[in-house]
Amino acid sequence: MTEEPHHPRPPWQMDWTAEARHTFDTMPTDGRQLVVAARAELITAVDPYYRGIDADAHLPHWISVRPLTSTSPGGEHIADLAGGRGWLIYTFIRRHAEPQIIVTDAFWA
């Protein structure tokens, strides 16, 4: 019997830069709750970049995901929260052994 190759699947790990984590920790409760809910969506998505037509159609109405720069669709992405009231900027690193999402910026107004 041959062993099938391991292909990592969600849930993904999520790590934060120190600055993004500090911003999250100092957000008001409503902002933190929305960020935690967005985190749950991102770490369980088959593709956290939600690529393709209507790939993010199943996301709740208060979150949208898009590339931060249209010229870099595989680079940083932004998860807009509550119509732009807040956001997470992140990169998905698809390493074979331990793929993970790295949050580099967080904001809540």
Side-chain angles (χ1 to χ4, degrees), residues 41-69:
E41 295 290 337
L42 294 173
I43 67 169
T44 58
V46 172
D47 180 356
Y49 280 168
Y50 294 93
R51 289 176 266 228
I53 297 171
D54 294 330
D56 62 353
H58 72 281
L59 283 172
H61 70 281
W62 51 266
I63 183 174
S64 63
V65 174
R66 62 180 167 77
L68 192 59
T69 316

Short mmCIF file of all heavy atoms in Angstrom, two decimals, residues 41-69:
data_model
loop_
_atom_site.label_atom_id
_atom_site.label_comp_id
_atom_site.label_asym_id
_atom_site.label_seq_id
_atom_site.Cartn_x
_atom_site.Cartn_y
_atom_site.Cartn_z
N GLU A 41 -13.40 32.92 9.40
CA GLU A 41 -13.67 32.74 7.97
C GLU A 41 -12.38 32.46 7.20
O GLU A 41 -12.33 31.59 6.34
CB GLU A 41 -14.35 33.98 7.39
CG GLU A 41 -15.73 34.26 7.94
CD GLU A 41 -16.76 33.25 7.49
OE1 GLU A 41 -16.58 32.58 6.45
OE2 GLU A 41 -17.79 33.14 8.19
N LEU A 42 -11.32 33.21 7.51
CA LEU A 42 -10.07 33.07 6.77
C LEU A 42 -9.37 31.75 7.03
O LEU A 42 -8.87 31.12 6.09
CB LEU A 42 -9.12 34.23 7.12
CG LEU A 42 -9.57 35.62 6.68
CD1 LEU A 42 -8.63 36.68 7.24
CD2 LEU A 42 -9.67 35.71 5.17
N ILE A 43 -9.31 31.32 8.28
CA ILE A 43 -8.54 30.10 8.57
C ILE A 43 -9.27 28.83 8.13
O ILE A 43 -8.65 27.78 8.03
CB ILE A 43 -8.14 29.99 10.06
CG1 ILE A 43 -9.35 29.81 10.96
CG2 ILE A 43 -7.27 31.17 10.46
CD1 ILE A 43 -9.00 29.44 12.39
N THR A 44 -10.56 28.91 7.85
CA THR A 44 -11.29 27.72 7.41
C THR A 44 -11.56 27.70 5.90
O THR A 44 -12.11 26.73 5.40
CB THR A 44 -12.64 27.60 8.16
OG1 THR A 44 -13.41 28.78 7.93
CG2 THR A 44 -12.41 27.41 9.65
N ALA A 45 -11.14 28.74 5.20
CA ALA A 45 -11.35 28.79 3.75
C ALA A 45 -10.37 27.86 3.04
O ALA A 45 -9.20 27.77 3.42
CB ALA A 45 -11.16 30.21 3.24
N VAL A 46 -10.84 27.16 2.02
CA VAL A 46 -9.95 26.31 1.24
C VAL A 46 -8.84 27.17 0.62
O VAL A 46 -7.68 26.78 0.59
CB VAL A 46 -10.73 25.55 0.15
CG1 VAL A 46 -9.79 24.81 -0.79
CG2 VAL A 46 -11.70 24.58 0.80
N ASP A 47 -9.19 28.35 0.13
CA ASP A 47 -8.22 29.31 -0.40
C ASP A 47 -8.47 30.65 0.28
O ASP A 47 -9.43 31.34 -0.06
CB ASP A 47 -8.37 29.44 -1.91
CG ASP A 47 -7.39 30.43 -2.52
OD1 ASP A 47 -6.62 31.08 -1.77
OD2 ASP A 47 -7.38 30.56 -3.75
N PRO A 48 -7.66 31.04 1.26
CA PRO A 48 -7.89 32.29 1.98
C PRO A 48 -7.80 33.55 1.11
O PRO A 48 -8.13 34.63 1.56
CB PRO A 48 -6.78 32.32 3.05
CG PRO A 48 -6.33 30.92 3.17
CD PRO A 48 -6.54 30.29 1.83
N TYR A 49 -7.37 33.39 -0.14
CA TYR A 49 -7.35 34.53 -1.06
C TYR A 49 -8.65 34.64 -1.85
O TYR A 49 -8.85 35.60 -2.57
CB TYR A 49 -6.17 34.43 -2.02
CG TYR A 49 -4.86 34.87 -1.43
CD1 TYR A 49 -3.67 34.60 -2.08
CD2 TYR A 49 -4.78 35.57 -0.23
CE1 TYR A 49 -2.45 35.00 -1.56
CE2 TYR A 49 -3.58 35.97 0.30
CZ TYR A 49 -2.42 35.69 -0.36
OH TYR A 49 -1.21 36.10 0.14
N TYR A 50 -9.53 33.67 -1.73
CA TYR A 50 -10.84 33.70 -2.39
C TYR A 50 -10.70 34.08 -3.86
O TYR A 50 -11.32 35.01 -4.35
CB TYR A 50 -11.79 34.67 -1.67
CG TYR A 50 -12.14 34.21 -0.28
CD1 TYR A 50 -11.40 34.63 0.81
CD2 TYR A 50 -13.18 33.33 -0.07
CE1 TYR A 50 -11.71 34.20 2.09
CE2 TYR A 50 -13.50 32.89 1.20
CZ TYR A 50 -12.75 33.32 2.27
OH TYR A 50 -13.05 32.89 3.54
N ARG A 51 -9.88 33.34 -4.56
CA ARG A 51 -9.64 33.62 -5.98
C ARG A 51 -10.76 33.06 -6.84
O ARG A 51 -11.33 32.03 -6.53
CB ARG A 51 -8.32 33.04 -6.41
CG ARG A 51 -7.14 33.78 -5.83
CD ARG A 51 -5.86 33.10 -6.21
NE ARG A 51 -5.50 32.19 -5.14
CZ ARG A 51 -4.29 32.12 -4.62
NH1 ARG A 51 -3.33 32.86 -5.09
NH2 ARG A 51 -4.02 31.29 -3.65
N GLY A 52 -11.01 33.74 -7.94
CA GLY A 52 -11.99 33.27 -8.91
C GLY A 52 -13.29 34.03 -8.83
O GLY A 52 -13.55 34.79 -7.90
N ILE A 53 -14.11 33.83 -9.82
CA ILE A 53 -15.40 34.51 -9.90
C ILE A 53 -16.31 33.99 -8.80
O ILE A 53 -16.52 32.79 -8.68
CB ILE A 53 -16.05 34.31 -11.29
CG1 ILE A 53 -15.15 34.93 -12.37
CG2 ILE A 53 -17.45 34.88 -11.33
CD1 ILE A 53 -15.57 34.62 -13.77
N ASP A 54 -16.85 34.89 -8.02
CA ASP A 54 -17.76 34.56 -6.92
C ASP A 54 -17.18 33.58 -5.91
O ASP A 54 -17.92 32.90 -5.21
CB ASP A 54 -19.09 34.00 -7.45
CG ASP A 54 -19.87 35.05 -8.23
OD1 ASP A 54 -19.73 36.24 -7.90
OD2 ASP A 54 -20.60 34.67 -9.14
N ALA A 55 -15.85 33.52 -5.81
CA ALA A 55 -15.24 32.60 -4.85
C ALA A 55 -15.56 32.98 -3.41
O ALA A 55 -15.57 32.15 -2.53
CB ALA A 55 -13.72 32.56 -5.05
N ASP A 56 -15.84 34.27 -3.19
CA ASP A 56 -16.15 34.72 -1.83
C ASP A 56 -17.65 34.93 -1.62
O ASP A 56 -18.07 35.57 -0.67
CB ASP A 56 -15.37 35.98 -1.48
CG ASP A 56 -15.71 37.16 -2.36
OD1 ASP A 56 -16.45 36.98 -3.35
OD2 ASP A 56 -15.23 38.26 -2.06
N ALA A 57 -18.46 34.33 -2.47
CA ALA A 57 -19.91 34.53 -2.39
C ALA A 57 -20.50 34.00 -1.09
O ALA A 57 -21.53 34.49 -0.63
CB ALA A 57 -20.60 33.86 -3.58
N HIS A 58 -19.83 33.04 -0.46
CA HIS A 58 -20.36 32.47 0.78
C HIS A 58 -19.95 33.27 2.02
O HIS A 58 -20.38 32.96 3.13
CB HIS A 58 -19.92 31.01 0.93
CG HIS A 58 -18.47 30.86 1.24
ND1 HIS A 58 -17.50 30.96 0.28
CD2 HIS A 58 -17.83 30.66 2.41
CE1 HIS A 58 -16.32 30.80 0.85
NE2 HIS A 58 -16.49 30.63 2.14
N LEU A 59 -19.11 34.29 1.85
CA LEU A 59 -18.70 35.10 3.00
C LEU A 59 -19.87 35.91 3.53
O LEU A 59 -20.75 36.31 2.77
CB LEU A 59 -17.58 36.06 2.61
CG LEU A 59 -16.19 35.46 2.48
CD1 LEU A 59 -15.21 36.48 1.90
CD2 LEU A 59 -15.69 34.95 3.81
N PRO A 60 -19.89 36.18 4.83
CA PRO A 60 -20.95 37.06 5.37
C PRO A 60 -20.91 38.43 4.69
O PRO A 60 -19.86 38.85 4.19
CB PRO A 60 -20.57 37.18 6.85
CG PRO A 60 -19.65 36.05 7.14
CD PRO A 60 -18.97 35.72 5.85
N HIS A 61 -22.03 39.12 4.70
CA HIS A 61 -22.14 40.40 3.99
C HIS A 61 -21.19 41.48 4.51
O HIS A 61 -20.87 42.42 3.82
CB HIS A 61 -23.58 40.92 4.06
CG HIS A 61 -23.97 41.37 5.42
ND1 HIS A 61 -24.34 40.48 6.41
CD2 HIS A 61 -24.02 42.60 5.98
CE1 HIS A 61 -24.61 41.15 7.52
NE2 HIS A 61 -24.42 42.43 7.29
N TRP A 62 -20.68 41.34 5.71
CA TRP A 62 -19.85 42.37 6.31
C TRP A 62 -18.36 42.22 6.05
O TRP A 62 -17.54 42.98 6.54
CB TRP A 62 -20.10 42.43 7.83
CG TRP A 62 -19.99 41.09 8.49
CD1 TRP A 62 -21.01 40.23 8.76
CD2 TRP A 62 -18.80 40.44 8.91
NE1 TRP A 62 -20.52 39.07 9.32
CE2 TRP A 62 -19.16 39.18 9.44
CE3 TRP A 62 -17.45 40.80 8.92
CZ2 TRP A 62 -18.23 38.28 9.95
CZ3 TRP A 62 -16.52 39.89 9.42
CH2 TRP A 62 -16.93 38.66 9.93
N ILE A 63 -18.00 41.22 5.24
CA ILE A 63 -16.57 41.02 4.92
C ILE A 63 -16.40 40.82 3.42
O ILE A 63 -17.21 40.14 2.78
CB ILE A 63 -15.97 39.82 5.71
CG1 ILE A 63 -14.47 39.66 5.42
CG2 ILE A 63 -16.70 38.55 5.41
CD1 ILE A 63 -13.79 38.59 6.27
N SER A 64 -15.37 41.44 2.88
CA SER A 64 -15.00 41.19 1.49
C SER A 64 -13.48 41.07 1.43
O SER A 64 -12.76 41.70 2.21
CB SER A 64 -15.48 42.31 0.56
OG SER A 64 -14.86 43.53 0.89
N VAL A 65 -13.00 40.24 0.51
CA VAL A 65 -11.57 39.97 0.39
C VAL A 65 -11.13 40.30 -1.02
O VAL A 65 -11.81 39.94 -1.98
CB VAL A 65 -11.27 38.49 0.71
CG1 VAL A 65 -9.81 38.16 0.44
CG2 VAL A 65 -11.62 38.17 2.16
N ARG A 66 -10.01 41.00 -1.12
CA ARG A 66 -9.47 41.33 -2.44
C ARG A 66 -7.96 41.52 -2.32
O ARG A 66 -7.45 41.77 -1.22
CB ARG A 66 -10.12 42.59 -2.99
CG ARG A 66 -9.87 43.81 -2.15
CD ARG A 66 -10.53 45.07 -2.71
NE ARG A 66 -10.54 46.13 -1.76
CZ ARG A 66 -9.50 46.90 -1.45
NH1 ARG A 66 -8.35 46.69 -2.03
NH2 ARG A 66 -9.59 47.87 -0.57
N PRO A 67 -7.23 41.42 -3.45
CA PRO A 67 -5.80 41.69 -3.40
C PRO A 67 -5.57 43.15 -3.00
O PRO A 67 -6.34 44.03 -3.41
CB PRO A 67 -5.32 41.45 -4.83
CG PRO A 67 -6.39 40.68 -5.49
CD PRO A 67 -7.66 41.02 -4.78
N LEU A 68 -4.55 43.41 -2.22
CA LEU A 68 -4.23 44.77 -1.84
C LEU A 68 -3.81 45.58 -3.06
O LEU A 68 -4.13 46.75 -3.18
CB LEU A 68 -3.13 44.77 -0.77
CG LEU A 68 -2.87 46.08 -0.05
CD1 LEU A 68 -4.13 46.56 0.67
CD2 LEU A 68 -1.74 45.93 0.94
N THR A 69 -3.10 44.91 -3.98
CA THR A 69 -2.67 45.53 -5.23
C THR A 69 -3.11 44.64 -6.37
O THR A 69 -2.79 43.45 -6.38
CB THR A 69 -1.14 45.67 -5.27
OG1 THR A 69 -0.66 46.13 -4.02
CG2 THR A 69 -0.69 46.61 -6.35
#
